Amino acid sequence: MHIVIMGCGRVGATLARSLERRGHTTAVIDQNPDAFRRLGPSFSGITVTGMGFDKGVLEEAGIEKADGFAAVSSGDNSNIISARVAREQFGVTNIVARIYDPGRAEVYERLGVPTVATVTWTADQVLRRLLPAGSEPAWRDPSGELRLETMEAPSVWIGHEISDLEGHAEVRVAYLTRLGSGHIAHSDTVIQEGDVLNIFMREDEADDAHAAIDAGPEVE
């Protein structure tokens, strides 16, 4: 794949090097030519000095053959504008924009521009480490309506199938980790001691879902 990256700060430079290590080609755009020093001497991609929403600059970076575009500069407006130019004028459908303002991030997600809300993500990660286990979800979708919970399989569910838990608590088990290995959860997968379950649930039904999971299966 060829990926165009706007912004050569710590995130942009790390992203470019990571993509290159995976065998992809990259082009990095930044207004400040000194920023490209973050890429290191081994970087073999393209560097272009200029604004990421300038058509000429994007063309020099190979946007017309790009498989993806990442706008990760320090400016929300620049990131959104450049991502939209890449998609709407050059037809790049695989785009993502880094956004600091959580409110803006939600709006742009609903408009079809995938975003990474840096402030929200950082705050969530800090909360997960500060608060007791299970107090904060592993992930929330941008709309705030869905959450992903990670929990060790409760003893009351050991020996029961995944479908029993899903139907009882009205949740969806996406995958589980067993003995250090990840496994896709199927409806007939039997929950074992030590399994770590990754469970999707609605945000507004999370308390009821937790109560149902803690209560265990119904006794017939």
Side-chain angles (χ1 to χ4, degrees), residues 153-194:
S155 59
V156 290
W157 288 102
I158 293 172
H160 290 268
E161 294 184 349
I162 289 290
S163 59
D164 296 334
L165 185 151
E166 291 180 331
H168 181 69
E170 297 185 0
V171 298
R172 178 63 54 85
V173 179
Y175 68 98
L176 59 88
T177 303
R178 178 174 293 167
L179 300 176
S181 298
H183 300 271
I184 298 296
H186 300 288
S187 59
D188 60 352
T189 299
V190 176
I191 300 171
Q192 298 182 13
E193 185 176 0

Short mmCIF file of all heavy atoms in Angstrom, two decimals, residues 153-194:
data_model
loop_
_atom_site.label_atom_id
_atom_site.label_comp_id
_atom_site.label_asym_id
_atom_site.label_seq_id
_atom_site.Cartn_x
_atom_site.Cartn_y
_atom_site.Cartn_z
N ALA A 153 -13.77 -14.41 32.91
CA ALA A 153 -15.03 -15.16 32.92
C ALA A 153 -15.50 -15.39 34.36
O ALA A 153 -14.78 -16.00 35.15
CB ALA A 153 -14.86 -16.48 32.20
N PRO A 154 -16.70 -14.91 34.71
CA PRO A 154 -17.21 -15.15 36.06
C PRO A 154 -17.40 -16.64 36.31
O PRO A 154 -17.77 -17.40 35.40
CB PRO A 154 -18.57 -14.41 36.05
CG PRO A 154 -18.45 -13.41 34.93
CD PRO A 154 -17.60 -14.08 33.91
N SER A 155 -17.16 -17.06 37.53
CA SER A 155 -17.24 -18.49 37.86
C SER A 155 -18.62 -19.07 37.59
O SER A 155 -18.73 -20.26 37.24
CB SER A 155 -16.85 -18.70 39.33
OG SER A 155 -17.72 -17.97 40.19
N VAL A 156 -19.67 -18.24 37.71
CA VAL A 156 -21.03 -18.76 37.51
C VAL A 156 -21.30 -19.15 36.07
O VAL A 156 -22.26 -19.88 35.78
CB VAL A 156 -22.09 -17.72 37.97
CG1 VAL A 156 -22.06 -17.58 39.48
CG2 VAL A 156 -21.86 -16.38 37.29
N TRP A 157 -20.45 -18.67 35.13
CA TRP A 157 -20.67 -18.97 33.71
C TRP A 157 -19.74 -20.05 33.18
O TRP A 157 -19.87 -20.47 32.02
CB TRP A 157 -20.50 -17.69 32.88
CG TRP A 157 -21.64 -16.75 33.07
CD1 TRP A 157 -21.67 -15.63 33.84
CD2 TRP A 157 -22.95 -16.87 32.50
NE1 TRP A 157 -22.91 -15.03 33.80
CE2 TRP A 157 -23.72 -15.78 32.97
CE3 TRP A 157 -23.54 -17.79 31.64
CZ2 TRP A 157 -25.05 -15.58 32.61
CZ3 TRP A 157 -24.87 -17.60 31.26
CH2 TRP A 157 -25.61 -16.51 31.75
N ILE A 158 -18.81 -20.53 33.97
CA ILE A 158 -17.89 -21.56 33.52
C ILE A 158 -18.67 -22.85 33.23
O ILE A 158 -19.49 -23.29 34.04
CB ILE A 158 -16.78 -21.80 34.57
CG1 ILE A 158 -15.89 -20.56 34.66
CG2 ILE A 158 -15.95 -23.03 34.21
CD1 ILE A 158 -14.90 -20.59 35.78
N GLY A 159 -18.42 -23.41 32.06
CA GLY A 159 -19.14 -24.61 31.64
C GLY A 159 -20.36 -24.32 30.79
O GLY A 159 -20.96 -25.24 30.22
N HIS A 160 -20.74 -23.05 30.68
CA HIS A 160 -21.89 -22.66 29.85
C HIS A 160 -21.41 -22.15 28.50
O HIS A 160 -20.27 -21.70 28.34
CB HIS A 160 -22.70 -21.57 30.55
CG HIS A 160 -23.43 -22.05 31.76
ND1 HIS A 160 -24.72 -22.52 31.73
CD2 HIS A 160 -23.02 -22.15 33.06
CE1 HIS A 160 -25.10 -22.88 32.93
NE2 HIS A 160 -24.08 -22.66 33.77
N GLU A 161 -22.29 -22.22 27.50
CA GLU A 161 -21.94 -21.74 26.17
C GLU A 161 -22.05 -20.23 26.09
O GLU A 161 -22.83 -19.60 26.85
CB GLU A 161 -22.86 -22.38 25.13
CG GLU A 161 -22.65 -23.89 25.00
CD GLU A 161 -23.50 -24.49 23.89
OE1 GLU A 161 -24.40 -23.79 23.36
OE2 GLU A 161 -23.27 -25.68 23.54
N ILE A 162 -21.31 -19.65 25.16
CA ILE A 162 -21.34 -18.21 24.94
C ILE A 162 -22.76 -17.72 24.68
O ILE A 162 -23.17 -16.66 25.17
CB ILE A 162 -20.43 -17.83 23.75
CG1 ILE A 162 -18.95 -18.00 24.11
CG2 ILE A 162 -20.70 -16.40 23.27
CD1 ILE A 162 -18.40 -17.02 25.11
N SER A 163 -23.52 -18.48 23.90
CA SER A 163 -24.89 -18.07 23.56
C SER A 163 -25.77 -17.93 24.80
O SER A 163 -26.70 -17.11 24.82
CB SER A 163 -25.51 -19.06 22.59
OG SER A 163 -25.54 -20.37 23.14
N ASP A 164 -25.50 -18.74 25.84
CA ASP A 164 -26.28 -18.64 27.07
C ASP A 164 -26.07 -17.27 27.72
O ASP A 164 -27.01 -16.60 28.15
CB ASP A 164 -25.88 -19.73 28.06
CG ASP A 164 -26.20 -21.13 27.53
OD1 ASP A 164 -27.12 -21.26 26.71
OD2 ASP A 164 -25.50 -22.09 27.95
N LEU A 165 -24.79 -16.86 27.80
CA LEU A 165 -24.46 -15.56 28.40
C LEU A 165 -25.02 -14.41 27.57
O LEU A 165 -25.59 -13.46 28.11
CB LEU A 165 -22.95 -15.43 28.57
CG LEU A 165 -22.43 -14.19 29.31
CD1 LEU A 165 -21.12 -14.50 30.01
CD2 LEU A 165 -22.21 -13.02 28.36
N GLU A 166 -24.85 -14.50 26.24
CA GLU A 166 -25.32 -13.43 25.36
C GLU A 166 -26.82 -13.24 25.47
O GLU A 166 -27.32 -12.11 25.54
CB GLU A 166 -24.93 -13.74 23.91
CG GLU A 166 -23.44 -13.65 23.65
CD GLU A 166 -23.09 -13.95 22.21
OE1 GLU A 166 -23.83 -14.73 21.56
OE2 GLU A 166 -22.08 -13.40 21.71
N GLY A 167 -27.57 -14.34 25.45
CA GLY A 167 -29.03 -14.24 25.52
C GLY A 167 -29.51 -13.75 26.87
O GLY A 167 -30.46 -12.96 26.96
N HIS A 168 -28.84 -14.18 27.93
CA HIS A 168 -29.26 -13.81 29.29
C HIS A 168 -29.00 -12.33 29.57
O HIS A 168 -29.83 -11.64 30.17
CB HIS A 168 -28.51 -14.68 30.30
CG HIS A 168 -28.87 -14.40 31.72
ND1 HIS A 168 -30.10 -14.71 32.27
CD2 HIS A 168 -28.15 -13.82 32.73
CE1 HIS A 168 -30.13 -14.34 33.54
NE2 HIS A 168 -28.96 -13.80 33.85
N ALA A 169 -27.83 -11.83 29.15
CA ALA A 169 -27.44 -10.45 29.47
C ALA A 169 -27.67 -9.47 28.33
O ALA A 169 -27.44 -8.28 28.49
CB ALA A 169 -25.96 -10.42 29.87
N GLU A 170 -28.13 -9.98 27.17
CA GLU A 170 -28.36 -9.15 25.98
C GLU A 170 -27.10 -8.39 25.58
O GLU A 170 -27.08 -7.17 25.45
CB GLU A 170 -29.54 -8.19 26.20
CG GLU A 170 -30.85 -8.91 26.44
CD GLU A 170 -32.04 -7.98 26.54
OE1 GLU A 170 -31.84 -6.76 26.42
OE2 GLU A 170 -33.17 -8.48 26.72
N VAL A 171 -26.02 -9.15 25.42
CA VAL A 171 -24.71 -8.62 25.03
C VAL A 171 -24.18 -9.47 23.89
O VAL A 171 -24.78 -10.47 23.49
CB VAL A 171 -23.72 -8.63 26.21
CG1 VAL A 171 -24.21 -7.74 27.34
CG2 VAL A 171 -23.49 -10.06 26.71
N ARG A 172 -23.02 -9.10 23.36
CA ARG A 172 -22.36 -9.89 22.32
C ARG A 172 -20.89 -10.09 22.70
O ARG A 172 -20.17 -9.10 22.91
CB ARG A 172 -22.45 -9.17 20.98
CG ARG A 172 -21.77 -9.89 19.82
CD ARG A 172 -22.41 -11.24 19.52
NE ARG A 172 -23.82 -11.15 19.29
CZ ARG A 172 -24.37 -10.85 18.10
NH1 ARG A 172 -23.61 -10.61 17.06
NH2 ARG A 172 -25.69 -10.81 17.99
N VAL A 173 -20.48 -11.34 22.81
CA VAL A 173 -19.08 -11.65 23.10
C VAL A 173 -18.33 -11.65 21.77
O VAL A 173 -18.57 -12.49 20.91
CB VAL A 173 -18.93 -13.00 23.81
CG1 VAL A 173 -17.45 -13.30 24.07
CG2 VAL A 173 -19.71 -13.01 25.12
N ALA A 174 -17.43 -10.68 21.59
CA ALA A 174 -16.72 -10.53 20.32
C ALA A 174 -15.60 -11.56 20.19
O ALA A 174 -15.46 -12.22 19.16
CB ALA A 174 -16.15 -9.12 20.20
N TYR A 175 -14.80 -11.69 21.23
CA TYR A 175 -13.71 -12.66 21.21
C TYR A 175 -13.28 -12.93 22.64
O TYR A 175 -13.70 -12.23 23.58
CB TYR A 175 -12.53 -12.17 20.36
CG TYR A 175 -11.78 -10.98 20.93
CD1 TYR A 175 -10.60 -11.15 21.66
CD2 TYR A 175 -12.24 -9.68 20.76
CE1 TYR A 175 -9.90 -10.07 22.18
CE2 TYR A 175 -11.56 -8.59 21.27
CZ TYR A 175 -10.39 -8.79 21.98
OH TYR A 175 -9.71 -7.71 22.50
N LEU A 176 -12.48 -13.95 22.82
CA LEU A 176 -11.98 -14.27 24.15
C LEU A 176 -10.51 -14.62 24.06
O LEU A 176 -9.99 -15.01 23.00
CB LEU A 176 -12.79 -15.42 24.78
CG LEU A 176 -12.83 -16.76 24.06
CD1 LEU A 176 -11.66 -17.65 24.48
CD2 LEU A 176 -14.13 -17.48 24.35
N THR A 177 -9.84 -14.47 25.18
CA THR A 177 -8.43 -14.85 25.28
C THR A 177 -8.35 -16.04 26.21
O THR A 177 -8.84 -16.00 27.34
CB THR A 177 -7.58 -13.69 25.83
OG1 THR A 177 -7.75 -12.54 24.98
CG2 THR A 177 -6.11 -14.07 25.86
N ARG A 178 -7.72 -17.12 25.70
CA ARG A 178 -7.62 -18.36 26.47
C ARG A 178 -6.16 -18.82 26.45
O ARG A 178 -5.60 -19.04 25.38
CB ARG A 178 -8.53 -19.43 25.89
CG ARG A 178 -8.47 -20.79 26.57
CD ARG A 178 -9.52 -21.72 26.01
NE ARG A 178 -10.87 -21.26 26.34
CZ ARG A 178 -11.98 -21.74 25.76
NH1 ARG A 178 -11.89 -22.65 24.79
NH2 ARG A 178 -13.16 -21.29 26.14
N LEU A 179 -5.57 -18.92 27.63
CA LEU A 179 -4.17 -19.34 27.76
C LEU A 179 -3.25 -18.47 26.91
O LEU A 179 -2.30 -18.96 26.27
CB LEU A 179 -4.02 -20.82 27.38
CG LEU A 179 -4.83 -21.82 28.23
CD1 LEU A 179 -4.67 -23.23 27.69
CD2 LEU A 179 -4.40 -21.74 29.69
N GLY A 180 -3.56 -17.17 26.85
CA GLY A 180 -2.71 -16.23 26.14
C GLY A 180 -2.97 -16.10 24.66
O GLY A 180 -2.32 -15.30 23.99
N SER A 181 -3.92 -16.87 24.12
CA SER A 181 -4.22 -16.82 22.69
C SER A 181 -5.63 -16.30 22.46
O SER A 181 -6.56 -16.64 23.20
CB SER A 181 -4.10 -18.23 22.06
OG SER A 181 -2.78 -18.71 22.17
N GLY A 182 -5.78 -15.46 21.42
CA GLY A 182 -7.08 -14.92 21.09
C GLY A 182 -7.91 -15.91 20.27
O GLY A 182 -7.39 -16.62 19.42
N HIS A 183 -9.21 -15.96 20.54
CA HIS A 183 -10.12 -16.85 19.82
C HIS A 183 -11.41 -16.12 19.50
O HIS A 183 -11.94 -15.38 20.33
CB HIS A 183 -10.46 -18.08 20.69
CG HIS A 183 -9.28 -18.91 21.09
ND1 HIS A 183 -8.80 -19.95 20.32
CD2 HIS A 183 -8.47 -18.82 22.17
CE1 HIS A 183 -7.75 -20.50 20.91
NE2 HIS A 183 -7.53 -19.83 22.05
N ILE A 184 -11.91 -16.31 18.28
CA ILE A 184 -13.22 -15.79 17.93
C ILE A 184 -14.26 -16.57 18.70
O ILE A 184 -14.23 -17.81 18.74
CB ILE A 184 -13.49 -15.93 16.41
CG1 ILE A 184 -12.47 -15.11 15.61
CG2 ILE A 184 -14.91 -15.50 16.07
CD1 ILE A 184 -12.55 -13.62 15.83
N ALA A 185 -15.19 -15.87 19.32
CA ALA A 185 -16.22 -16.54 20.12
C ALA A 185 -17.38 -16.97 19.23
O ALA A 185 -17.93 -16.17 18.49
CB ALA A 185 -16.72 -15.59 21.21
N HIS A 186 -17.72 -18.25 19.28
CA HIS A 186 -18.88 -18.78 18.56
C HIS A 186 -19.99 -19.06 19.56
O HIS A 186 -19.75 -19.16 20.77
CB HIS A 186 -18.50 -20.05 17.80
CG HIS A 186 -17.42 -19.84 16.79
ND1 HIS A 186 -17.61 -19.17 15.61
CD2 HIS A 186 -16.10 -20.19 16.80
CE1 HIS A 186 -16.50 -19.13 14.92
NE2 HIS A 186 -15.55 -19.73 15.63
N SER A 187 -21.19 -19.20 19.05
CA SER A 187 -22.34 -19.37 19.94
C SER A 187 -22.21 -20.62 20.81
O SER A 187 -22.68 -20.65 21.96
CB SER A 187 -23.64 -19.43 19.13
OG SER A 187 -23.60 -20.52 18.20
N ASP A 188 -21.54 -21.67 20.28
CA ASP A 188 -21.42 -22.90 21.04
C ASP A 188 -20.09 -23.03 21.77
O ASP A 188 -19.77 -24.10 22.32
CB ASP A 188 -21.63 -24.11 20.13
CG ASP A 188 -20.62 -24.17 18.97
OD1 ASP A 188 -19.86 -23.19 18.81
OD2 ASP A 188 -20.61 -25.18 18.26
N THR A 189 -19.29 -21.96 21.78
CA THR A 189 -18.04 -21.98 22.54
C THR A 189 -18.34 -22.10 24.03
O THR A 189 -19.17 -21.35 24.57
CB THR A 189 -17.22 -20.71 22.30
OG1 THR A 189 -16.88 -20.61 20.90
CG2 THR A 189 -15.94 -20.71 23.12
N VAL A 190 -17.72 -23.05 24.70
CA VAL A 190 -17.94 -23.26 26.13
C VAL A 190 -16.95 -22.41 26.93
O VAL A 190 -15.75 -22.45 26.67
CB VAL A 190 -17.79 -24.75 26.50
CG1 VAL A 190 -17.93 -24.94 28.02
CG2 VAL A 190 -18.82 -25.59 25.76
N ILE A 191 -17.46 -21.65 27.85
CA ILE A 191 -16.63 -20.77 28.67
C ILE A 191 -15.84 -21.60 29.67
O ILE A 191 -16.40 -22.47 30.36
CB ILE A 191 -17.51 -19.74 29.41
CG1 ILE A 191 -18.27 -18.88 28.39
CG2 ILE A 191 -16.66 -18.86 30.33
CD1 ILE A 191 -19.33 -17.99 29.01
N GLN A 192 -14.52 -21.35 29.73
CA GLN A 192 -13.65 -22.10 30.63
C GLN A 192 -13.03 -21.18 31.68
O GLN A 192 -12.97 -19.97 31.49
CB GLN A 192 -12.54 -22.79 29.83
CG GLN A 192 -13.02 -23.79 28.81
CD GLN A 192 -11.89 -24.47 28.07
OE1 GLN A 192 -10.72 -24.38 28.46
NE2 GLN A 192 -12.21 -25.18 26.99
N GLU A 193 -12.60 -21.78 32.75
CA GLU A 193 -11.94 -21.02 33.82
C GLU A 193 -10.69 -20.34 33.27
O GLU A 193 -9.90 -20.94 32.55
CB GLU A 193 -11.57 -21.94 34.97
CG GLU A 193 -10.99 -21.22 36.17
CD GLU A 193 -10.72 -22.15 37.35
OE1 GLU A 193 -10.99 -23.36 37.22
OE2 GLU A 193 -10.23 -21.65 38.38
N GLY A 194 -10.52 -19.07 33.60
CA GLY A 194 -9.36 -18.32 33.14
C GLY A 194 -9.58 -17.58 31.83
O GLY A 194 -8.72 -16.78 31.42
#
